Amino acid sequence: MRFLSVFGRYVIFMSRVFSRPEKARIYLKQTILEMESLGFNSVGIVIIISIFIGAVITLQTRYNLENPLLPLYIIGLTARDTMLLEFSSTMVGLILAGKVGSNIASEIGHMRITEQIDALEMMGVNSASYLVLPKIIATMVFNPFLTAISMSVGLFGGWMACIITGALPSADYLYGIQYYFIPFYIVYALIKTVFYAFIITSVSAFQGYNVKGGALEVGRASTRGVVFSSILILMTDVILTQLMLA
Amino acid sequence: MIEVKDLYKSFSGESVLDDISVSFEKGKTNLIIGRSGSGKTVLMKCIVGLHEADKGSVFFDGRDFLKMNFKERQNLRREIGMLFQGSALFDSLTVEENVMFPLNMFSDMTPGDKTDRVNFCLKRVNLENENALYPGELSGGMKKRVAIARAIVQNPKYLFCDEPNSGLDPITALLIDDLISEITKEFDITTIVNTHDMNSVMEIGEKVVFIHEGRKCWEGTKEDILNSEDVNLNDFVFASNFAKKIKAMTTDEIRDPENY
Ligand SMILES: Nc1ncnc2c1ncn2[C@@H]1O[C@H](COP(=O)(O)OP(=O)(O)O)[C@@H](O)[C@H]1O
Ligand SMILES: [Mg+2]
């Protein structure tokens, strides 16, 4: 019952977010600013994490596939498909849920408790739309780039691991990551990323927008934003995988 | 003129406003006074629809606000300026951008006209050459003045101020009060001010409404307030020892002094 009522309020909130903007030009400007603060500022963390995960996936595969019958390039191939299919979209999605989700929930929650949202409403601005729509568009447009960056950097990280540790000849790795390449995997990952961006932004914004009370509640809302969007990302992952790859 | 009729509001079964009917006059500074927690903020927010009243009606010059849909309310709200207790300036915008925000959102003025209008309003609240500062760099009194400038930038017909001088020193508080009262006269606005500060009442109160535990107990002018018979109002007005002594000196019959 409680779930239904929260879901109902979420739907009403989203219908306000997607109502027609007062001034398109201002929304466009906001969207560009949000791309910088929510998207561009996450490039660093995505690169760092992807390099290490690319490396560790390659090493793990190498040490756990101790079978002389399997050709060595299989390791590069496995690392590539893991990055492309799951890591660069879903893991990066979870990390962004933590970084971007908590940022959005606490920013909007702070605006709620300091009456800035009331101030917007009193000016006749649709506060839900003004605050949230630019963030949703910005992340849905920008996050696929983050995923693409993660894919290439991750594969590079795997290659570096081969060179530095000598666990696998560089040539085998490079052959493996090009072997039997399916371009649709990239499309599949980018589509998932767009869904995840929508989930992270809308769920965290909804949590922040409905804060009542003080700083403590803002903290709680930000935690809830991260937890709920993470769970929803994994549920969506299962559904989309079944729909697109089955 | 703003008329409130039979307004009720409760939060999860707990009644906060109980059958409030009152009217606020044009070109006057109307005060809502009462102790902390008496329901002043909730009343103000019910009038402008930031809280949804359970029952009752609110008329802005005859227009039934609570019956309006979302879009109609948005349009009427553009005629309202509101000053929030914590100023509610947008943290990420400068003073100038804060005041210009409503113009950017709703007016078709040229950039030059907008800047002129913003500077006019900032000058009106005696803030010049602070345009590029951020709210975090302002004192409490300056924040209030920026918020007043922002509230009047669109030439509102109605001005709502929630505790405009809370957290300010007595002199700054007086300046803010006077500013609100002057602006009300100058632009012929219907102004409503929430306060628990008797200094404000005596300084700017033209019409005074006293709220106690969610009920309207008394209304009148600041001249009547000292002679009122209402027990709760007397407790509120003469809360300080200083005020009690003045009252004792100026009235022959004082209501049971032992109780003070
Ligand atoms: N959003 C809310 N939810 C529940 N109770 C509230 C809410 N806002 C105010 N109240 C309660 O309403 C009463 C009046 O509050 P308020 O109008 O803020 O008082 P004040 O006269 O100091 O402005 C208080 O008892 C407060 O606890
Ligand atoms: Mg209050």
Side-chain angles (χ1 to χ4, degrees):
Chain A
M1 262 334 272
R2 217 184 100 68
F3 167 77
L4 279 184
S5 115
V6 171
F7 183 72
R9 283 195 297 131
Y10 172 79
V11 170
I12 293 170
F13 176 70
M14 291 318 291
S15 73
R16 283 199 53 200
V17 168
F18 283 100
S19 60
R20 209 172 139 266
E22 285 93 6
K23 261 209 172 149
R25 202 168 46 80
I26 291 181
Y27 277 62
L28 194 65
K29 202 177 125 213
Q30 278 306 106
T31 306
I32 290 164
L33 289 176
E34 298 292 0
M35 277 194 198
E36 188 191 342
S37 83
L38 301 177
F40 196 74
N41 288 345
S42 302
V43 170
I45 190 174
V46 166
I47 287 180
I48 292 170
I49 286 169
S50 303
I51 283 195
F52 285 111
I53 292 283
V56 88
I57 287 174
T58 308
L59 295 179
Q60 282 285 9
T61 317
R62 173 72 185 97
Y63 298 136
N64 288 295
L65 269 185
E66 214 65 78
N67 187 334
L69 291 179
L70 284 175
L72 282 177
Y73 69 79
I74 286 290
I75 293 157
L77 185 148
T78 310
R80 178 199 73 200
D81 284 354
T82 313
M83 282 307 286
L84 259 50
L85 285 173
E86 281 307 325
F87 174 75
S88 290
S89 51
T90 306
M91 279 282 279
V92 167
L94 291 174
I95 287 156
L96 291 179
K99 181 176 183 287
V100 174
S102 62
N103 175 314
I104 291 175
S106 53
E107 180 191 328
I108 296 183
H110 173 75
M111 292 188 76
R112 167 61 77 194
I113 63 166
T114 54
E115 298 181 309
Q116 293 178 51
I117 291 182
D118 286 343
L120 282 171
E121 286 292 319
M122 285 313 299
M123 290 172 189
V125 176
N126 176 345
S127 61
S129 175
Y130 175 75
L131 292 175
V132 184
L133 189 58
K135 291 189 203 297
I136 290 185
I137 294 174
T139 50
M140 286 174 77
V141 170
F142 201 92
N143 286 14
F145 289 101
L146 291 177
T147 299
I149 291 171
S150 165
M151 288 172 178
S152 26
V153 171
L155 293 179
F156 178 76
W159 187 43
M160 283 287 102
C162 297
I163 292 173
I164 293 169
T165 63
L168 180 73
S170 161
D172 283 315
Y173 178 80
L174 292 179
Y175 180 73
I177 62 173
Q178 294 166 62
Y179 183 78
Y180 199 63
F181 172 64
I182 304 173
F184 179 71
Y185 283 3
I186 291 184
V187 176
Y188 156 80
L190 295 182
I191 290 176
K192 287 205 298 187
T193 305
V194 174
F195 276 86
Y196 297 161
F198 178 80
I199 290 171
I200 295 169
T201 314
S202 65
V203 170
S204 317
F206 176 69
Q207 293 298 336
Y209 196 84
N210 287 298
V211 167
K212 288 194 176 73
L216 201 63
E217 279 79 8
V218 174
R220 290 205 184 108
S222 138
T223 308
R224 273 200 308 275
V226 174
V227 171
F228 290 164
S229 34
S230 303
I231 294 171
L232 283 171
I233 282 175
L234 294 173
M235 282 166 57
T236 311
D237 191 18
V238 175
I239 295 168
L240 289 180
T241 303
Q242 181 61 24
L243 284 178
M244 290 199 282
L245 294 187
Chain B
M1 186 159 90
I2 299 174
E3 287 167 284
V4 177
K5 289 209 176 111
D6 313 318
L7 200 74
Y8 289 82
K9 173 72 186 171
S10 57
F11 288 107
S12 41
E14 195 80 15
S15 166
V16 174
L17 295 180
D18 190 0
D19 196 11
I20 305 267
S21 294
V22 61
S23 67
F24 302 103
E25 288 153 42
K26 187 171 185 222
K28 282 195 180 172
T29 313
N30 302 274
L31 297 194
I32 301 173
I33 63 172
R35 299 179 56 179
S36 279
S38 56
K40 304 183 294 293
T41 302
V42 172
L43 173 58
M44 190 171 263
K45 289 193 173 177
C46 282
I47 294 176
V48 298
L50 288 175
H51 286 317
E52 211 57 50
D54 299 339
K55 227 164 59 179
S57 30
V58 175
F59 297 93
F60 286 80
D61 291 310
R63 293 169 292 175
D64 192 346
F65 182 69
L66 300 184
K67 287 236 164 62
M68 292 181 179
N69 65 26
F70 182 65
K71 208 77 215 160
E72 292 165 333
R73 284 187 182 195
Q74 265 191 324
N75 287 332
L76 196 144
R77 279 179 177 168
R78 286 171 204 164
E79 302 172 13
I80 303 176
M82 190 149 183
L83 177 62
F84 290 88
Q85 190 163 357
S87 298
L89 298 176
F90 303 127
D91 299 316
S92 56
L93 304 181
T94 63
V95 166
E96 177 173 295
E97 288 164 344
N98 260 286
V99 180
M100 202 180 279
F101 187 90
L103 299 180
N104 285 336
M105 219 59 194
F106 299 113
S107 85
D108 297 316
M109 294 160 79
T110 65
D113 287 347
K114 280 191 251 186
T115 310
D116 289 347
R117 176 72 191 153
V118 167
N119 286 332
F120 170 82
C121 293
L122 283 172
K123 189 161 182 220
R124 185 64 199 80
V125 298
N126 308 317
L127 268 183
E128 281 166 284
N129 313 318
E130 319 280 5
N131 293 28
L133 296 183
Y134 283 89
E137 301 167 319
L138 304 177
S139 70
M142 283 158 90
K143 278 188 201 166
K144 293 274 159 136
R145 283 188 276 161
V146 176
I148 294 175
R150 186 178 68 180
I152 61 171
V153 74
Q154 291 201 94
N155 275 318
K157 288 188 191 153
Y158 316 97
L159 181 62
F160 289 78
C161 309
D162 193 5
E163 309 263 2
N165 48 23
S166 69
L168 302 180
D169 67 83
I171 297 174
T172 312
L174 208 61
L175 289 176
I176 297 287
D177 281 344
D178 288 341
L179 190 57
I180 290 169
S181 155
E182 285 161 24
I183 285 171
T184 302
K185 291 273 166 310
E186 215 170 296
F187 304 107
D188 198 21
I189 302 174
T190 308
T191 297
I192 303 180
V193 179
N194 272 354
T195 185
H196 56 239
D197 181 2
M198 276 310 291
N199 287 328
S200 309
V201 176
M202 298 327 270
E203 180 77 12
I204 59 170
E206 291 178 275
K207 165 161 187 170
V208 183
V209 179
F210 175 65
I211 306 273
H212 184 71
E213 291 175 358
R215 288 165 180 273
K216 185 180 87 174
C217 283
W218 184 88
E219 69 176 285
T221 64
K222 68 179 172 192
E223 287 78 20
D224 302 336
I225 213 168
L226 299 176
N227 308 317
S228 113
E229 300 288 317
D230 188 278
V231 180
N232 292 319
L233 179 60
N234 270 314
D235 285 349
F236 180 81
V237 172
F238 300 107
S240 78
N241 282 322
F242 178 68
K244 271 173 230 159
K245 282 182 189 142
I246 303 269
K247 169 108 173 166
M249 283 190 287
T250 53
T251 39
D252 327 308
E253 46 148 7
I254 179 159
R255 197 175 52 83
D256 195 6
E258 297 298 70
N259 277 351
Y260 292 136

